[in-house]
Amino acid sequence: MDVIWFNERNLPSYFYEVEHTTDIKNSLSKFYELQDFYAGFFIVADKHRKKEFEDKLNVSIYNSISNRVKFIDYERVAKMYEGIKTIDSVTW
């Protein structure tokens, strides 16, 4: 797992896997194994891999987690980061 965010009770609340060149199926399988946690799952990858993500997520084995797994592309992560930087600069 590349990133895990924990809640105030120190339990995992979000799992992130960055998929630059590796198979998205490997990450989905990890998420499948972690499905008993009350957590969200995110695949972070280049936007051109979104179709691959959707195709693999639609395999029947992942039905139980399909509504909890989201795709975020690098551009969106960069925008989120820029937004946080803007907020930080205002509060300091």
Side-chain angles (χ1 to χ4, degrees):
M1 209 51 53
D2 294 311
V3 177
I4 303 171
W5 287 3
F6 293 89
N7 64 22
E8 61 279 349
R9 295 177 54 211
N10 290 321
L11 295 170
S13 57
Y14 298 99
F15 294 93
Y16 293 82
E17 278 283 286
V18 178
E19 293 297 343
H20 191 67
T21 58
T22 51
D23 191 344
I24 288 174
K25 183 179 176 185
N26 295 335
S27 292
L28 294 174
S29 294
K30 288 179 192 178
F31 293 158
Y32 180 81
E33 293 297 321
L34 295 166
Q35 69 180 304
D36 292 329
F37 285 102
Y38 185 73
F41 304 115
F42 295 89
I43 298 285
V44 181
D46 190 278
K47 62 183 172 186
H48 83 274
R49 296 191 73 189
K50 187 169 185 179
K51 175 79 168 104
E52 174 190 356
F53 160 78
E54 291 168 345
D55 290 345
K56 291 188 177 181
L57 184 60
N58 286 325
V59 174
S60 63
I61 190 171
Y62 302 122
N63 284 346
S64 61
I65 63 168
S66 64
N67 62 332
R68 296 169 52 195
V69 182
K70 306 293 183 230
F71 182 91
I72 302 175
D73 64 56
Y74 297 142
E75 188 175 302
R76 179 169 169 139
V77 171
K79 287 178 183 176
M80 291 165 60
Y81 174 72
E82 288 301 320
I84 291 169
K85 279 184 21 184
T86 301
I87 291 169
D88 280 349
S89 67
V90 170
T91 58
W92 292 102

